[in-house]
């Protein structure tokens, strides 16, 4: 069995059951979370033959930052429940793999400590009802060296979870959430998600931070175009790991429409959701993604072996991608084109 395939089971042995359930669960009936990986498995390859693949190069850039491979770590919350080092340990593992990490605005580790781990990082932000809280978070991230802002756009309200036992909120340890907001400077109601956002918020974020803005949670080509027209530097095709609207289309199926809508534009396209193999990464790149994000696998790897586990996850997926590219007849990422893929 692949090491990656055993990660969740190994993590489950170390995590309190409510934490494991929170990390793995989707919303409502679990349809979207259950379909994610199967949607990538539904694609088939049309390999080229008699091409020179003696040397394969999987290095690329993401928003101008060089990375050794096109596998990045998605923003996830409550990482200190997985490892005492939390986001700093995750970032150290990412740095060793020369990749990029997304950091949740709910992070339980200060942005300064995350930045000190050495990985280039992008801030994932929820715009909340109290914009002053959002502004304080943005300013702190910029001061600590964030290189981009990832606007989560699919959460006007939080998706319904159907817990059947003690929830994570009953076992979470103090200090594992919102380490970058000073206690006493906000009320719980200030943190409610803003439900009145329009594409204008993209320019507002860019102006405030001076950073490129990506929009995460896009599943439609017309929405991707609206975001790009409003100034988004990147789109992340995502259904929030199946944790928001249950029954939302798998990202593997949404990606081609988004890529078609943004063809010929400088807007970079990323995708997450259910990616577990190098072959899935290859499919995503051929369909138009510049790179992919992995979320739950990184949490399992962090739980099992801290920073070293995260590095191994990214390295193993990169090696699988290299192997698949040899077999599909594409020595560089630029050679990965839609004609290699069919459903």
């Amino acid at each position: 069995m692949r090491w990656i395939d055993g990660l969740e089971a190994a993590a489950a042995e170390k995590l309190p059951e409510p934490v494991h359930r929170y990390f793995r669960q989707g919303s409502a009936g679990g349809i979207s979370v259950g379909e994610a990986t199967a949607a990538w498995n539904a694609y088939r390859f049309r390999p080229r033959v008699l091409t020179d693949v003696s040397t394969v190069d999987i290095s690329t850039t993401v928003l101008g930052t060089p990375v050794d491979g096109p596998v990045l770590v998605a923003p996830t919350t409550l990482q200190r429940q997985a490892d005492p080092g939390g986001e700093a340990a995750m970032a150290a593992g990412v740095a060793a793999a020369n990749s990029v990490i997304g950091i949740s605005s709910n992070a339980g580790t200060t942005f300064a400590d995350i930045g000190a781990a050495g990985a280039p990082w992008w801030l994932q932000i929820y715009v909340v009802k109290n914009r002053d809280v959002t502004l304080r978070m943005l300013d702190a991230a910029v001061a600590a060296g964030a290189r981009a802002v990832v606007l989560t756009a699919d959460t006007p309200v939080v998706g319904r979870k159907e817990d059947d036992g003690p929830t994570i909120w009953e076992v979470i340890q103090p200090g594992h959430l919102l380490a970058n907001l000073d206690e006493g400077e906000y009320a719980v109601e200030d943190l409610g998600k803003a439900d009145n956002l329009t594409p204008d918020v993209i320019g507002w974020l860019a102006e405030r931070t001076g950073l490129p803005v990506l929009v995460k949670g896009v599943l439609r080509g017309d929405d991707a175009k609206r975001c790009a027209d409003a100034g988004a530097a990147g789109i992340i095709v995502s259904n929030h790991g199946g944790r928001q609207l249950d029954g939302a289309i798998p990202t593997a199926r949404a990606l081609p429409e988004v890529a078609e809508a943004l063809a010929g534009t400088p807007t970079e396209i990323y995708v997450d959701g259910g990616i577990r193999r190098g072959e899935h990464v290859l499919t995503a790149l051929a369909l138009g993604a510049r790179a992919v994000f992995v979320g739950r696998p990184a949490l399992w790897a962090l739980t099992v072996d801290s920073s070293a586990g995260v590095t191994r996850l990214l390295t193993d997926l990169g090696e699988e991608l290299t192997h698949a590219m040899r077999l599909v007849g594409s020595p560089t990422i630029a050679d990965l084109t839609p004609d290699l893929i069919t459903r």
Side-chain angles (χ1 to χ4, degrees), residues 255-269:
L255 175 59
E257 179 184 320
V258 171
E260 181 179 2
L262 296 180
T265 76
T267 311
E268 296 188 0
I269 302 170

Side-chain angles (χ1 to χ4, degrees), residues 37-333:
T37 298
W40 293 109
N41 289 337
Y43 284 101
R44 296 294 179 266
F45 300 114
R46 302 175 62 245
R48 305 181 183 107
V49 297
L50 298 179
T51 59
D52 182 356
V53 289
S54 56
T55 301
V56 171
D57 182 9
I58 65 168
S59 64
T60 186
T61 61
V62 291
L63 295 181
T65 298
V67 290
D68 284 357
V71 184
L72 320 179
V73 170
T76 53
T77 193
L78 294 172
Q79 292 182 21
R80 288 182 63 193
Q81 294 290 126
D83 180 273
E87 291 83 359
M90 184 81 85
V94 171
N98 196 31
S99 185
V100 165
I101 182 172
I103 296 297
S104 170
S105 55
N106 293 328
T109 307
T110 66
F111 294 148
D113 286 344
I114 294 167
W121 63 281
W122 300 349
L123 172 71
Q124 172 273 332
I125 194 76
Y126 294 107
V127 176
V128 296
K129 291 183 178 180
N130 185 336
R131 293 290 180 96
D132 288 339
V133 171
T134 300
L135 290 173
R136 292 203 301 273
M137 186 79 70
L138 292 168
D139 292 347
V142 170
R147 298 197 187 187
V149 175
V150 177
L151 168 65
T152 293
D154 60 1
T155 313
V157 294
V158 175
R160 187 181 80 255
K161 310 303 186 297
E162 298 178 352
D163 284 301
D164 56 1
T167 71
I168 193 171
W169 310 114
E170 297 171 60
V171 302
I172 185 175
Q173 298 178 38
H176 283 195
L177 199 66
L178 295 172
N180 294 281
L181 288 178
D182 294 328
E183 289 188 28
E185 291 191 2
Y186 63 92
V188 172
E189 52 268 26
D190 291 332
L191 302 180
K193 307 296 188 287
D195 55 8
N196 61 347
L197 299 182
T198 68
D200 292 344
V201 74
I202 297 168
W204 178 74
L205 290 168
E207 182 178 359
R208 178 70 183 201
T209 63
L211 297 174
V213 177
L214 303 95
V215 181
K216 178 178 180 286
V218 176
L219 295 171
R220 297 171 55 102
D222 52 1
D223 274 350
K225 189 67 165 59
R226 288 170 66 223
C227 293
D229 290 346
I235 298 295
I236 303 179
V237 179
S238 174
N239 65 15
H240 214 109
R243 297 174 66 86
Q244 281 301 105
L245 176 62
D246 195 28
I249 185 174
T251 55
R253 291 177 55 190
L255 175 59
E257 179 184 320
V258 171
E260 181 179 2
L262 296 180
T265 76
T267 311
E268 296 188 0
I269 302 170
Y270 301 85
V271 65
D272 65 23
I275 293 167
R276 300 293 184 269
R277 291 182 167 274
E279 291 83 1
H280 298 161
V281 181
L282 189 155
T283 299
L285 300 181
L287 292 176
R290 188 167 192 89
V292 306
F293 283 91
V294 291
R296 289 184 181 92
L299 284 173
W300 309 142
L302 182 69
T303 302
V304 170
D305 197 20
S306 193
S307 301
V310 177
T311 303
R312 179 174 177 181
L313 171 71
L314 299 178
T315 301
D316 283 4
L317 288 173
E319 290 175 352
E320 289 183 1
L321 172 62
T322 299
H323 180 262
M325 286 174 60
R326 280 199 163 95
L327 291 175
V328 87
S330 299
T332 71
I333 289 176

